[in-house]
Amino acid sequence: MLSIAIVDDVRSEAEYLASFVERYGNENNEKMKIARFKSGFDFLDGYKAVYDAVFLDIEMPDIDGMAAARKLREFDNDIIIIFVTNIAKYAIQGYSVGALDYLLKPPKYADIKMRMNIISKRKRLNDYSIVIPYQGGERKLTSGEIVYVESRGHDIIFHTDGDEILWKGTTLKRVESELTEHGFYRCNNCYLVNLRYCTEIKDNSVMVNGEELQISRARKKGFMVALVNALGG
């Protein structure tokens, strides 16, 4: 199921957008849960990180969409933000809060469909789980919580946001065979990167959730292609 939030102070425009999201779900046999909010304050009040994406109007009273997005990022770094606006120049600022894209009002169904395809793809990538030996038992890690995987000697380290999980006596190649189809790509012989956490390319390195990892010359072309595909082309 995809959980989508729509934040717009104009009810008719919110319902118009919701109808296209519902149509997408019907056409693609995708269950949809849609929540509508009449203001950024309503959306942020008691916020819980349960949404896959939010369509966020920029021009709203009280708190505009851009300010709401900056506040949202204090709670949720994973939600996909898509701005909806009458004026394209405002939406360009959205990249400062990691927005995926923007839509000009009134959006066409083809525009919604393209964005929903990306949202659905990311959802599938993040839902995959890998089970590893852990403290005498097993631990399940979802692909969405793994930032990158590091090969260290004969061991593997899974780096999550704030934690490191050791898998002794295995290889990066083995982990790569499981995760490549779920948005991961090797940037060099030691690191397998979750492409959704990549924020910047600097010469021969990539910033991954605030850490700088080297990209080998042999892998750079393939890495860049994989990164573009992961970001929706």
Side-chain angles (χ1 to χ4, degrees):
M1 176 184 288
L2 289 177
S3 184
I4 307 296
I6 297 174
V7 185
D8 197 317
D9 61 307
V10 180
R11 181 176 178 178
S12 60
E13 293 182 354
E15 291 178 346
Y16 175 77
L17 181 54
S19 69
F20 280 162
V21 174
E22 290 173 354
R23 176 180 167 184
Y24 176 87
N26 292 333
E27 290 182 356
N28 293 275
N29 197 29
E30 184 93 64
K31 291 184 178 180
M32 313 295 297
K33 183 177 181 180
I34 303 171
R36 294 194 290 269
F37 300 88
K38 62 182 179 181
S39 74
F41 283 132
D42 283 347
F43 178 56
L44 295 170
D45 184 32
Y47 180 79
K48 294 182 179 179
V50 296
Y51 302 104
D52 298 300
V54 56
F55 290 90
L56 185 57
D57 187 22
I58 290 183
E59 300 151 87
M60 294 185 292
D62 299 327
I63 180 172
D64 63 46
M66 202 63 64
R70 286 193 289 268
K71 189 68 177 176
L72 173 61
R73 282 298 183 224
E74 296 178 13
F75 308 114
D76 193 341
N77 284 320
D78 294 331
I79 187 171
I80 295 174
I81 298 174
I82 299 174
F83 286 113
V84 186
T85 181
N86 288 309
I87 306 175
K89 67 178 183 179
Y90 293 152
I92 303 302
Q93 304 171 41
Y95 296 108
S96 66
V97 292
L100 171 71
D101 208 343
Y102 69 90
L103 292 168
L104 287 176
K105 292 184 177 183
K108 298 178 180 178
Y109 177 65
D111 297 326
I112 301 297
K113 182 178 180 179
M114 183 175 70
R115 275 70 173 186
M116 289 300 302
N117 280 336
I118 296 172
I119 294 167
S120 180
K121 179 181 178 181
R122 289 197 183 182
K123 174 72 170 180
R124 291 194 302 272
L125 292 176
N126 295 338
D127 279 350
Y128 181 78
S129 297
I130 183 170
V131 179
I132 66 172
Y134 186 73
Q135 296 182 354
E138 291 182 333
R139 176 168 175 173
K140 183 170 71 174
L141 292 172
T142 64
S143 54
E145 66 183 308
I146 301 169
V147 178
Y148 67 94
V149 187
E150 177 185 2
S151 175
R152 191 180 298 173
H154 297 290
D155 302 329
I156 294 298
I157 308 294
F158 290 88
H159 294 262
T160 66
D161 193 3
D163 198 7
E164 295 182 0
I165 298 97
L166 173 67
W167 185 356
K168 296 182 68 66
T170 192
T171 65
L172 191 60
K173 185 175 181 180
R174 176 179 175 180
V175 177
E176 181 182 24
S177 68
E178 284 203 50
L179 293 179
T180 295
E181 294 184 4
H182 302 279
F184 287 73
Y185 200 91
R186 274 209 215 192
C187 62
N188 60 43
N189 288 335
C190 297
Y191 297 114
L192 179 68
V193 174
N194 188 338
L195 297 169
R196 68 188 291 262
Y197 285 100
C198 297
T199 55
E200 184 181 358
I201 300 293
K202 301 193 301 184
D203 297 325
N204 291 316
S205 65
V206 56
M207 296 301 296
V208 184
N209 202 36
E211 296 190 52
E212 185 172 354
L213 305 179
Q214 292 299 307
I215 306 173
S216 69
R217 182 179 300 178
R219 294 183 181 274
K220 187 170 184 179
K221 182 177 180 180
F223 183 85
M224 295 302 296
V225 171
L227 181 60
V228 169
N229 289 337
L231 296 177

